[in-house]
Amino acid sequence: MRTVAIAIFPGVQALDVAGPLDVFAEANGFLPPQDRYALTVLGTAAGPVRASNGLFLAAHRIIDPVADRFDTLLVAGGPDLPRGPVDPGLVDWLRAAAPRCRRYGSICTGAFVVGAAGLLDGRAATTHWQNAPALAERFPTARVELDRIYLRDGPLVTSAGVTAGIDLCLALVAEDHGAAISLATAKRLVVVAQRQGGQSQFSPYLTLPADDGSPIARVQTHVMQHVAQEHTVASMAEVAGMSARNFARVFVQQAKVTPAEFVERARVDAARNLLEGGDLPLKTVAFHSGFGSANRMRLVFVKNLGMTPSQYRASFQPIPL
């Protein structure tokens, strides 16, 4: 049997544990006995663990840095991991146990534990979109990809936020037993087998400078307040009170994108807000968000979000009761 272990700790996100476990458990229902997964939950100390939502979880046993060896080893995430210190005992255990596993990695912010163990160095990884910049800053030798739902780089597997752990584990089931078993498991769990688009569809698309009184911030505010207007480097430089050449250089330094890229992102966010909150025709949304035409808006959405405006709207429409 393939052994799968998930490590938990005080403050763990309950869904980071339950979601992946349910994927493997449901997959077992479609597999012959000899191919099924044996599931283990590992704790850092004896006794129940209080999750971030108040639920108490009980591990099967405590981590063992000497003997632990699994086919798949995952560390769940927790809301406090990006901000606080990581349990050194958990880090030392993972550093010792991971090389003995065929694949290892994290769900959501569990990537901060994996990074502390030195296992992100030189590898591509992802985490929750809100915490990805902090992960990249804390572990600069890692190649953090902000828009991926899940990612594999050699033996390392990482997933985006919370429910993306389900997506990752469905992909692992497909890798182990084929797409048909993964699809059957997804149907059983009433989830999609593969999501459209990446994390960008859930995250704010704009990053504003820390100094909100700077000329660059003034330009960004102007663009967002007049997103339907035409914005050129010259017109934005005039708002900033700078020469066009100096403005373009300073803008890239502070905003980390070109002026044109910022305008496009502002229009994407404006369109997303209109698509999420109403039923305006697509051509009206395109006009109010500065795209000019529904076709142009569609091309930009596919390029940046991996889905069309219609697909984006459908993803955020509540199902009537």
Side-chain angles (χ1 to χ4, degrees):
M1 298 182 74
R2 296 181 187 270
T3 54
V4 177
I6 297 183
I8 65 173
F9 46 85
V12 69
Q13 184 113 30
L15 195 53
D16 285 4
V17 184
L21 285 176
D22 274 346
V23 169
F24 294 115
E26 293 296 341
N28 281 344
F30 302 102
L31 296 170
Q34 68 273 15
D35 291 336
R36 291 174 185 167
Y37 296 97
L39 307 177
T40 302
V41 178
L42 303 172
T44 55
V49 170
R50 185 183 178 92
S52 60
N53 63 1
L55 183 70
F56 283 95
L57 305 176
H60 294 114
R61 63 173 177 82
I62 300 174
I63 56 176
D64 185 340
V66 176
D68 280 341
R69 180 191 301 270
F70 306 98
D71 181 71
T72 302
L73 175 58
L74 300 172
V75 179
D80 292 335
L81 286 177
R83 300 186 296 271
V86 179
D87 181 348
L90 181 61
V91 171
D92 291 343
W93 162 78
L94 181 61
R95 186 183 295 117
R100 298 194 293 264
C101 302
R102 180 170 68 95
R103 58 193 180 197
Y104 55 82
S106 57
I107 307 298
C108 193
T109 55
F112 285 84
V113 180
V114 178
L119 299 172
L120 296 185
D121 296 346
R123 294 195 180 276
T126 192
T127 189
H128 193 289
W129 60 264
Q130 201 167 26
N131 306 115
L135 185 72
E137 182 177 357
R138 188 177 301 183
F139 307 107
T141 62
R143 301 191 305 276
V144 179
E145 299 192 20
L146 279 66
D147 195 37
R148 298 292 293 272
I149 297 295
Y150 56 82
L151 190 58
R152 178 162 188 172
D153 186 346
L156 175 69
V157 295
T158 53
S159 83
V162 197
T163 59
I166 295 175
D167 299 77
L168 169 62
C169 293
L170 285 170
L172 295 181
V173 169
E175 180 182 291
D176 293 339
H177 302 291
I181 298 296
S182 179
L183 178 57
T185 304
K187 289 181 176 180
R188 175 69 179 168
L189 293 171
V190 198
V191 298
V192 294
Q194 185 172 353
R195 298 196 209 199
Q196 294 177 321
Q199 290 197 83
S200 296
Q201 61 189 290
F202 305 104
S203 62
Y205 212 34
L206 300 177
T207 302
L208 303 181
D211 181 5
D212 57 10
S214 71
I216 300 306
R218 185 164 65 248
V219 170
Q220 292 178 320
T221 299
H222 174 79
V223 169
M224 290 185 291
Q225 291 177 344
H226 306 88
V227 72
Q229 296 180 5
E230 181 181 1
H231 298 285
T232 64
V233 170
S235 68
M236 289 185 281
E238 185 176 352
V239 173
M242 305 166 67
S243 69
R245 183 174 181 178
N246 189 44
F247 165 75
R249 178 181 59 81
V250 174
F251 192 98
V252 171
Q253 287 178 344
Q254 294 190 15
K256 310 304 180 187
V257 294
T258 67
E261 288 170 336
F262 179 83
V263 172
E264 184 173 273
R265 292 183 179 197
R267 287 175 174 158
V268 169
D269 264 4
R272 285 176 11 166
N273 288 334
L274 292 172
L275 291 167
E276 292 170 13
D279 55 0
L280 290 173
L282 293 183
K283 63 180 181 180
T284 304
V285 172
F287 174 78
H288 285 303
S289 52
F291 286 109
S293 70
N295 186 54
R296 171 62 182 164
M297 180 172 68
R298 183 182 187 280
L299 292 174
V300 173
F301 262 63
V302 170
K303 181 185 76 172
N304 289 285
L305 302 182
M307 58 175 59
T308 67
S310 295
Q311 291 170 330
Y312 182 87
R313 168 177 274 166
S315 298
F316 287 87
Q317 294 297 308
I319 300 174
L321 295 174

